[in-house]
Amino acid sequence: MTSISTLRDAASRWIAADPDPATRAELETVLARAESDPAAAADLADRLAGPLEFGTAGLRGPVRAGPNGMNVAVVTRTTAGVAEWLKAHGHAGALVVVGRDARHGSEAFATAAAEVLTAAGFDVKVFARPLPTPVLAFAVGRLGAVAGIQITASHNPPADNGYKLYDATGGQIVPPSDGEIERAIEAAPRATEVPRAPGAEVVDLLDRYLDEVATLPLGHDRAVRVAATALHGVGAATLRAAFERAGFTDLHLVEAQAAPDPDFPTVSFPNPEEPGATDLLLALASDVDADLAIALDPDADRCALGVRERDGRWRMLRGDETGVLLGSYVLSTVDRTVLPDPLVATTIVSSSMLGEIAKAEGARYAETLTGFKWLVRAGEGLVFAYEEALGLCVNPGFVRDKDGVAAATLAAGLAAQLKAQGRTPLDVLDELARRHGVHLTDQVSLRVTDLAVRGQLMAKVRTTPPARLGGVEVTLEDLLPDADVVRLTGEGVRVVVRPSGTEPKLKAYLQVVASVRADAQERLTALRADVEELLA
């Protein structure tokens, strides 16, 4: 363990370079306790273990003092690095947009980023209030910005915040940009030496964004009742405005979760995928006799759909179910005289059914590595993209990223059309299964406290891969060096194993394909048991 004297020296250097009196005092308190408290010493060592790694997802970490946390000093140096990177690529003085969510620290971090860029000579525009991440992505494209910064930790725990960077394409950055920026951050001066200046222009792009959402292929029917939740994030007001602009008036929000609250008091984990996160939503959907339930994640770039089963009970659709449901619908609305060769895309860990749908519709299909930074770069003519982790892009023409608000509005339009026909989303999913086979997906997620465990398990799968999974012979495909991913495939079976890019988890994505649902479910159960044993 690092000696207390070494920790004291490192902490003192950081405190001297921190421009924020609040985090200086915080680290001083931890340092004082660390002299006699082993737990405080361990906390101090963790805070100083950084810096936070800047990757293609930007930064993400706990809001706390020290280099291994999200704080004004870290954001200041990060933005100084981003400014130098932009200048190195010929963008000195160009336009950059800065937005934020409502998490702890977001306003101070957005202010720091805007002031660093302003002092560096950039034309900086900022939002006056917390808004969904898709609005920031929209603004980058609409204003012709060379970059956009959104302060958000998406669906991470309440203690976290983050820094997401978009480039001039309007999409999230991809390699080698992340490495170039990380080196620029390393070369940045101490935070107290980075110039800051006020003067960023406050802009409001929300109306223009809502106008675009209303142009989605929503059909003519509007008689649909929707229950929705923003999970204490920033999506409720924008979702309501989008629905009103599009003509959907029967929207019921989970009031206890509608106002932004960085403590997320009613959920243990503010992610629609997590058990219990949508309990209040499904209860509301049942109470108001809704036709559709919608959950946005805290920064409203993800969208989950809930439906009523035929026995009357409500459940959330899996991300793959939502993806093929909306993907099939989008393809049915494409004007082939305008776009004769449309493209749909998903990732290597998502259901392959979208490919079967595209083939039947005479459309192109692409699979990319995980992450919307890759999906929006899948190719020309992209009309729809999704990833199983509730990311949906139904509007690549004006948001080159996942967009929960637009996806929710489109889903309401589809649900209204189906209701007018006496049908439901489950009817469509059944029809797709009859046409293209039953595609069932699942996930085995192993949370670790020591990140080294992920590497050890990946090495185990690579060096001693299983011969059979779920009763089927499988072969291994290693995607290194392009990605730290292994894929195991056999007849009607696919397993993809990868470390999470945003959480301390190792994830295995399972798929089985069969002609009969009961057979598919039985095979999926067997496959899951084998994969759990493989990763034990």
Side-chain angles (χ1 to χ4, degrees):
M1 180 176 177
T2 307
S3 69
I4 191 63
S5 61
T6 301
L7 291 175
R8 186 189 307 114
D9 291 345
S12 298
R13 287 194 299 271
W14 183 264
I15 291 166
D18 188 343
D20 184 349
T23 45
R24 286 201 305 269
E26 178 187 331
L27 200 58
E28 286 170 348
T29 299
V30 175
L31 175 58
R33 290 176 48 230
E35 300 284 352
S36 57
D37 183 350
D43 179 27
L44 182 62
D46 188 49
R47 289 167 181 261
L48 299 173
L52 284 181
E53 180 181 350
F54 192 97
T56 54
L59 299 174
R60 203 172 287 185
V63 178
R64 62 182 182 179
N68 195 21
M70 281 293 295
N71 51 66
V72 168
V74 166
V75 169
T76 296
R77 295 191 69 250
T78 297
T79 308
V82 169
E84 290 303 311
W85 173 73
L86 288 171
K87 291 176 181 178
H89 284 269
H91 297 308
L95 171 62
V96 181
V97 190
V98 179
R100 61 185 169 95
D101 66 10
R103 282 179 176 263
H104 290 296
S106 285
E107 184 172 7
F109 301 158
T111 297
E115 290 185 352
V116 169
L117 289 164
T118 299
F122 289 89
D123 177 11
V124 184
K125 301 189 187 302
V126 298
F127 296 155
R129 61 192 186 281
L131 285 170
T133 295
V135 180
L136 184 281
F138 167 78
V140 172
R142 182 53 54 96
L143 296 176
V146 297
I149 296 167
Q150 177 78 351
I151 303 298
T152 180
S154 188
H155 56 277
N156 271 41
D160 289 358
N161 212 326
Y163 184 110
K164 182 179 287 188
L165 182 63
Y166 293 82
D167 64 19
T169 70
Q172 296 177 50
I173 61 167
V174 294
S177 295
D178 55 337
E180 294 171 353
I181 294 168
E182 189 163 36
R183 289 188 289 275
I185 295 169
E186 291 171 357
R190 302 193 317 171
T192 50
E193 299 169 359
V194 175
R196 289 175 56 172
E201 179 188 356
V202 176
V203 296
D204 189 343
L205 274 289
L206 184 58
D207 271 347
R208 293 163 71 177
Y209 167 79
L210 295 172
D211 285 342
E212 292 285 359
V213 172
T215 67
L216 293 171
L218 304 174
H220 302 293
D221 300 292
R222 294 293 183 270
V224 63
R225 179 168 297 166
V226 176
T229 181
L231 289 183
H232 300 292
V234 296
T238 302
L239 180 66
R240 184 179 290 283
F243 270 40
E244 290 175 353
R245 189 73 55 97
F248 299 107
T249 59
D250 200 354
L251 174 65
H252 301 257
L253 291 170
V254 177
E255 290 300 329
Q257 299 174 333
D261 188 331
D263 293 321
F264 303 98
T266 68
V267 290
S268 58
F269 204 106
N271 180 350
E273 290 182 295
E274 292 290 326
T278 58
D279 285 356
L280 292 179
L281 169 66
L282 297 183
L284 176 64
S286 179
D287 289 345
V288 302
D289 193 26
D291 302 300
L292 183 70
I294 294 173
L296 303 178
D297 74 336
D299 70 329
D301 64 349
R302 286 174 168 82
C303 173
L305 301 183
V307 297
R308 183 166 38 204
E309 289 280 12
R310 292 177 174 84
D311 62 5
R313 291 180 297 177
W314 280 85
R315 73 168 177 94
M316 301 304 294
L317 295 179
R318 297 189 65 84
D320 283 315
E321 291 177 302
T322 299
V324 299
L325 178 72
L326 295 186
S328 174
Y329 175 62
V330 168
L331 275 178
S332 74
T333 67
V334 174
D335 184 347
R336 295 302 181 91
T337 63
V338 177
L339 189 63
D341 194 23
L343 170 70
V344 295
T346 190
T347 69
I348 58 173
V349 304
S350 302
S351 171
S352 60
M353 183 187 273
L354 185 62
E356 299 301 315
I357 294 170
K359 186 188 305 181
E361 294 291 334
R364 288 177 296 131
Y365 169 73
E367 288 184 3
T368 73
L369 296 176
T370 56
F372 259 86
K373 58 184 177 285
W374 301 116
L375 280 172
V376 297
R377 292 172 168 87
E380 294 295 321
L382 183 69
V383 296
F384 175 81
Y386 94 93
E387 58 183 354
E388 53 77 41
L390 307 180
L392 297 150
C393 180
V394 302
N395 51 334
F398 62 93
V399 171
R400 287 176 54 79
D401 197 9
K402 51 190 175 293
D403 185 343
V405 174
T409 308
L410 186 79
L414 172 58
Q417 291 182 52
L418 293 173
K419 183 178 181 180
Q421 300 164 7
R423 303 164 66 217
T424 72
L426 289 179
D427 294 326
V428 177
L429 289 173
D430 286 346
E431 290 169 10
L432 292 173
R434 285 194 293 271
R435 292 178 195 166
H436 308 296
V438 178
H439 290 61
L440 295 186
T441 57
D442 200 357
Q443 184 182 130
V444 174
S445 182
L446 178 65
R447 185 176 290 273
V448 299
T449 54
D450 180 359
L451 292 181
V453 172
R454 300 193 308 185
Q456 293 164 4
L457 288 172
M458 291 295 294
K460 170 188 170 184
V461 174
R462 285 186 167 102
T463 56
T464 57
R468 300 175 67 84
L469 286 173
V472 175
E473 291 185 2
V474 294
T475 57
L476 180 142
E477 178 187 5
D478 193 340
L479 274 60
L480 282 175
D482 295 329
D484 187 8
V485 176
V486 295
R487 183 159 46 191
L488 298 151
T489 56
E491 183 64 34
V493 167
R494 188 198 68 195
V495 176
V496 180
V497 185
R498 60 180 279 268
S500 170
T502 57
E503 298 175 277
K505 291 181 178 180
L506 185 70
K507 294 185 175 183
Y509 303 84
L510 286 54
Q511 176 180 270
V512 298
V513 182
S515 57
V516 178
R517 184 168 297 275
D519 291 346
Q521 189 60 62
E522 183 178 343
R523 294 180 65 184
L524 184 62
T525 299
L527 179 62
R528 182 181 180 91
D530 286 352
V531 171
E532 288 175 342
E533 182 178 350
L534 175 67
L535 300 183

